Amino acid sequence: GRSWTDIGDLDEAAAGRSVLVRGFAERFRPVSNKMTFIVLRKKMSTVQCVLVANADAGVSTQMVRFATSLSRESVIDVEGVVSVPKEPLKSTTQQVEIQVRKVYCISRAIAALPFNLEDAVRSEAEFEKAEQDGEKLVRVCQDTGLNYRVVELRTATYQATFRIQSDVENIFREYLYSKSFIGVHTPKLISGSSEGGAAVFELQYHGQPACLAQSPQLYKQMCISGGFGHVFEVGSIFRAENSNTHRHLCEFTGLDAEMEINEHYFEVCDIIDGLFVAIFKHLNENCKNLLEIINKQYPFEPLKYLEKTLKITYEEGIQMLKDAGTEIEPMSDLNTEAEKKLGRLVKEKYGTEFFILYRYPLAVRPFYTMPCYEDPAYSNSFDVFIRGEEIISGAQRIHTHELLRKRAIECGIDTSTISSYIESFSYGVPPHGGFGVGLERVVMLFCGLNNIRKTSLFPRDPQRLTP
Ligand code: 4AD
């Protein structure tokens, strides 16, 4: 029945109270053999604990010695009385101190830290300033951070990043629930590739070749065939392509949705519009402190977006690029550079960094994509961009058996590996469409981060399978 308190809840209202807190020992600052400061950290909060030998309070010099012998990042319990310091505290988040009565070590850090946590949160500007001042600061390079990921994740920047990610996922679910979607879980062990192409992880499934799902595409459509009307899924997606870039992972979290369409596939775009405006609003209004923490290490401009998401055609996008001196090969996809440039042009012209580019050439879209009724060289499909990078692709799907089979064959797909998917279209399926979002990319691009490894807890890329 002792009174446990979360470090983050300690404030002036607790002054004079006796509390018990647990945290990582972030810093020790011994003053003498009779006095030491310990900064304890829990989640994103830190508090200063003052330990002074004092016979009246039952604090022995041995206890002070014991505390100074502890290693950084050990897990420590502190019992003490909350006090308000005369001067504001600059190096802790909490503006009160704990006058320590007892210290217990719960779990000792036995390994030397691979890097100091304060080195892992410095901004580029700090490094540059230190360099000018002739001071030598240690940079924690990406691989070192990833090799010791659990240590790196303890920094405020990462704590904030993954809280934001959790909120994005939550708003995705909440918004789609409010629009009558239900959540589903489709198999990740499947018999054939779901997006076409060779970039699948192959495996043996009880003696039969199988692969890890590249997307829930085929099964989320089969949920429409199964009569659910509107479905979403939050799940793992596996891509075996050997892409060593700032925005490709071999395993990432897909936010997928699939829905019946009444009249036009823009109904899918309207869902995306409402969903993303809700996500951006939530982040800007309710996650200010988290965004500020990230901003301190990685400065970024707030995302510019419109209340009603801008939609422009692929043709218009190509024309804008052409007018600005970039020629795109006719009816081809945009490369990374062209996407970036188009992002800048759209921002200049329309004042938004979030927009939908629609009516792509059919030839650059997956086989299940619905061709345009008026001009089958095009398709009822779209990509969505944030800050000049793709975060969503979506489309209306083919819902008739004959056309689906024909398109699969035209795209060179071995239909025997997806025959149950194709067959499921022979029982009457309503017109439908949907989209897929990469969760890590949403967070990366909203926060203007330069690498997707910063928004994946334990990233999987072609070079990395551990930790
Ligand atoms: O564009 P993709 O491949 O589309 C599909 O999987 C479709 N089945 C979606 C649909 O419903 N039509 O992937 C969708 C999104 C991309 O826009 C991107 O945000 C993310 O998933 N993504 C990746 N994220 C991290 N690493 C990768 N290798 C990714 N590949 C795609």
Side-chain angles (χ1 to χ4, degrees):
R2 293 182 302 170
S3 118
W4 285 97
T5 307
D6 222 22
I7 289 172
D9 294 334
L10 287 173
D11 59 14
E12 283 163 27
R17 262 196 12 229
S18 184
V19 292
L20 178 58
V21 299
R22 177 171 295 172
F24 294 101
E26 182 163 292
R27 289 191 295 279
F28 294 96
R29 192 155 59 81
V31 179
S32 66
N33 51 10
K34 289 202 153 103
M35 177 175 181
T36 186
F37 291 98
I38 309 169
V39 172
L40 277 197
R41 185 190 70 249
K42 176 71 156 278
K43 299 177 186 173
M44 289 188 297
S45 306
T46 50
V47 67
Q48 174 153 285
C49 308
V50 190
L51 182 56
V52 189
N54 177 342
D56 294 342
V59 181
S60 62
T61 40
Q62 269 143 298
M63 199 189 292
V64 178
R65 217 178 310 130
F66 165 70
T68 15
S69 76
L70 296 171
S71 45
R72 291 180 90 176
E73 293 300 304
S74 291
V75 178
I76 288 175
D77 283 1
V78 159
E79 228 177 279
V81 178
V82 178
S83 67
V84 182
K86 290 190 203 78
E87 301 279 315
L89 297 166
K90 283 202 217 77
S91 64
T92 54
T93 62
Q94 304 315 104
Q95 288 306 306
V96 292
E97 290 176 325
I98 301 177
Q99 304 298 326
V100 182
R101 295 282 177 267
K102 288 204 169 68
V103 184
Y104 308 91
C105 180
I106 301 303
S107 175
R108 192 184 280 269
I110 55 165
L113 285 173
F115 44 80
N116 289 327
L117 265 58
E118 58 268 33
D119 289 331
V121 292
R122 273 188 235 284
S123 67
E124 205 39 49
E126 268 178 87
F127 283 117
E128 276 161 24
K129 179 159 185 314
E131 234 152 69
Q132 281 167 11
D133 298 350
E135 207 186 321
K136 198 98 191 89
L137 290 184
V138 182
R139 271 173 218 260
V140 181
C141 72
Q142 180 173 277
D143 262 339
T144 307
L146 289 174
N147 288 341
Y148 301 95
R149 189 63 156 175
V150 295
V151 176
E152 186 174 55
L153 290 176
R154 295 179 185 190
T155 60
T157 308
Y158 276 106
Q159 292 283 316
T161 303
F162 288 99
R163 278 178 175 72
I164 285 175
Q165 189 167 104
S166 167
D167 274 25
V168 170
E169 177 180 337
N170 195 35
I171 301 287
F172 176 79
R173 287 181 206 274
E174 274 182 8
Y175 183 82
L176 292 181
Y177 274 134
S178 79
K179 297 290 171 188
S180 306
F181 284 70
I182 67 160
V184 295
H185 290 283
T186 63
K188 303 303 157 215
L189 286 168
I190 61 177
S191 62
S193 103
S194 35
E195 297 292 327
V200 294
F201 288 107
E202 291 172 345
L203 53 93
Q204 282 295 312
Y205 185 79
H206 296 292
Q208 167 190 342
C211 59
L212 290 175
Q214 277 168 310
S215 79
Q217 185 62 38
L218 309 186
Y219 285 92
K220 67 179 181 173
Q221 286 189 255
M222 285 162 78
C223 290
I224 301 299
S225 176
F228 289 107
H230 300 70
V231 296
F232 72 81
E233 175 164 3
V234 178
S236 297
I237 291 193
F238 304 93
R239 302 274 166 107
E241 72 231 283
N242 190 8
S243 295
N244 297 281
T245 77
H246 75 284
R247 61 175 187 169
H248 287 94
L249 293 168
C250 293
E251 178 175 353
F252 64 94
T253 306
L255 308 176
D256 270 86
E258 200 67 25
M259 59 188 260
E260 288 187 15
I261 290 170
N262 294 322
E263 301 193 2
H264 198 283
Y265 74 100
F266 282 2
E267 291 160 29
V268 180
C269 299
D270 289 342
I271 290 288
I272 290 175
D273 178 27
L275 169 64
F276 275 82
V277 169
I279 290 174
F280 299 154
K281 269 213 167 97
H282 172 87
L283 295 181
N284 287 328
E285 286 170 12
N286 304 323
C287 301
K288 277 203 185 78
N289 58 332
L290 300 176
L291 295 173
E292 266 165 32
I293 288 171
I294 297 174
N295 222 321
K296 234 171 90 184
Q297 184 171 8
Y298 304 113
F300 65 92
E301 291 293 317
L303 181 80
K304 278 196 159 89
Y305 67 94
L306 304 172
E307 286 292 317
K308 178 78 196 143
T309 302
L310 173 73
K311 276 205 291 287
I312 61 172
T313 61
Y314 165 89
E315 286 292 331
E316 181 181 346
I318 297 300
Q319 190 60 47
M320 283 171 77
L321 283 169
K322 197 170 185 178
D323 293 346
T326 300
E327 285 283 349
I328 303 294
E329 201 186 310
M331 304 301 265
S332 70
D333 213 349
L334 302 180
N335 60 26
T336 315
E337 214 175 298
E339 286 179 355
K340 271 262 176 242
K341 184 160 182 184
L342 181 60
R344 281 197 297 275
L345 295 171
V346 168
K347 184 179 174 187
E348 277 163 26
K349 183 165 175 192
Y350 295 104
T352 179
E353 297 172 279
F354 180 76
F355 66 96
I356 300 176
L357 191 67
Y358 71 97
R359 210 168 183 272
Y360 271 76
L362 184 65
V364 300
R365 304 302 285 200
F367 74 95
Y368 50 75
T369 309
M370 182 66 102
C372 271
Y373 183 72
E374 333 78 62
D375 183 353
Y378 289 88
S379 63
N380 288 356
S381 68
F382 55 85
D383 276 356
V384 184
F385 296 89
I386 302 192
R387 299 194 204 263
E389 294 193 50
E390 182 212 312
I391 52 154
I392 304 178
S393 72
Q396 180 175 359
R397 328 295 188 185
I398 297 169
H399 61 274
T400 57
H401 180 264
E402 309 76 55
L403 183 56
L404 189 58
R405 173 174 297 280
K406 177 165 163 274
R407 285 293 299 146
I409 291 166
E410 279 172 9
C411 290
I413 287 168
D414 174 3
T415 52
S416 70
T417 61
I418 53 168
S419 57
S420 57
Y421 163 74
I422 291 179
E423 287 321 312
S424 75
F425 287 83
S426 48
Y427 303 107
V429 177
H432 62 284
F435 61 93
V437 189
L439 175 60
E440 294 84 353
R441 280 199 194 171
V442 176
V443 179
M444 167 176 90
L445 292 163
F446 183 85
C447 296
L449 297 171
N450 63 2
N451 198 299
I452 199 162
R453 290 160 189 78
K454 292 196 169 84
T455 60
S456 171
L457 270 180
F458 298 101
R460 293 289 176 259
D461 64 31
Q463 317 300 331
R464 186 174 285 279
L465 190 57
T466 56

